[in-house]
Amino acid sequence: MKRLEGKVAIVTGGGGGIGGAVVRRMVSEGARVAVADVFEESARRVAEPLGDSALAVQFDAASAESVKAMVEKTVSHFGRLDILHNNAAMTDPVKSPQDTTTVDIPLPIWQEILDINLTGYMLGCKYAIPHMVAGGGGSIVNTASNSGSAGDLARIAYGATKGAIITLTRYVATQHGAQNVRCNSVAPGVVLTEALEKTVPGLKDIIKRHILTPEFGTPDDIAALVVFLASDESRYITGENISISGGGLVHQPHYADLRAFMESAA
Ligand SMILES: NC(=O)c1ccc[n+]([C@@H]2O[C@H](COP(=O)([O-])OP(=O)(O)OC[C@H]3O[C@@H](n4cnc5c(N)ncnc54)[C@H](O)[C@@H]3O)[C@@H](O)[C@H]2O)c1
């Protein structure tokens, strides 16, 4: 039996790199999936090759009405809802770079990132949970980030939303566990997506010195963890944040420098 046989899932940001990999993996495990994204074309590109197992749904995570309509459309199309993967994030190429420091970030950018990355996740839970409870329970998997657990030189709004997602996850798990709704978050470090491939090559090299695995993770690595947390195989895990980042946050801050020093001394 496949791990998600008979289950219905929503993947937000399903038209993107990680979301698309999660959708394909969920369908291969037997789920029927709503591919929900602000860009209808991206959602269709992921959904169409999967036939009747996937439904492209355009929605805006920053709008309560739109999130509600997206959940209702999924339930009326597939008949139930078992899994919500909140995964969308603001990736606008003009706005995202303005997410800098607390002194410099324009307030409208701060607010928009909070609306999409954080309030959007709360709204997904708000409208999905009653359907999950009606069906006997469910599993929510939120995409956080290692940026939610440690400071960085830029992206203050992004980091703040990712930290808040880890806390939101614990509250949802606590408040709805008795209704058989689990809620966990996954916190990727750097993942090899098209977007990363396009960034400054030097950045990739710097980050690579700080991970413990020989290679960066891929969207398929994230999808494997999300599917595990969505499935009943993880039925005793709730409220957790699982970092999936090649050990990027587990070592001493001097790790990369010390390693370079030891190699040069050898
Ligand atoms: N790629 C990485 O290295 C990395 C690292 C840590 C965390 N993450 C997280 O993983 C998740 C997926 O990121 P990705 O790398 O696949 O990026 P991506 O840009 O490929 O996917 C993000 C998706 O969200 C959608 N989206 C943006 N605004 C939206 C809105 N208002 N409403 C609905 N959908 C909207 C985009 O259209 C896009 O399809 C994000 O939450 C991101 O923060 C990624």
Side-chain angles (χ1 to χ4, degrees), residues 13 15-19 37-39 59-62 87-91 116 121 143-145 158 162 188-191 193:
I18 292 174
D37 205 286
V38 74
F39 294 119
F59 90 112
D60 180 0
N87 167 76
M90 137 87 85
T91 45
I116 297 171
Y121 281 38
T143 305
S145 165
Y158 178 83
K162 294 302 187 180
V190 165
V191 177
T193 54

Side-chain angles (χ1 to χ4, degrees), residues 255-266:
Y255 161 80
D257 290 339
L258 189 57
R259 215 179 137 195
F261 175 75
M262 287 165 75
E263 279 167 8
S264 70

Side-chain angles (χ1 to χ4, degrees), residues 57-107:
V57 185
Q58 193 282 334
F59 90 112
D60 180 0
S63 152
E65 271 176 29
S66 182
V67 177
K68 186 167 194 260
M70 178 273 289
V71 171
E72 297 307 326
K73 190 170 178 185
T74 303
V75 174
S76 78
H77 185 83
F78 288 126
R80 56 182 296 115
L81 182 62
D82 307 279
I83 296 159
L84 169 65
H85 180 37
N86 273 321
N87 167 76
M90 137 87 85
T91 45
D92 185 288
V94 175
K95 293 175 179 169
S96 289
Q98 296 180 58
D99 179 10
T100 52
T101 65
T102 186
V103 170
D104 291 335
I105 186 170
L107 270 182

Side-chain angles (χ1 to χ4, degrees), residues 2 119 129 186 254:
K2 293 178 172 179
T119 308
I129 288 170
V186 297
H254 54 247

Side-chain angles (χ1 to χ4, degrees), residues 15 18 60 77-78 82 98 111 142 144 161 180 188 205 213 244 260 265:
I18 292 174
D60 180 0
H77 185 83
F78 288 126
D82 307 279
Q98 296 180 58
Q111 192 57 54
N142 295 322
T161 62
N180 197 26
D205 294 340
T213 51
I244 173 160

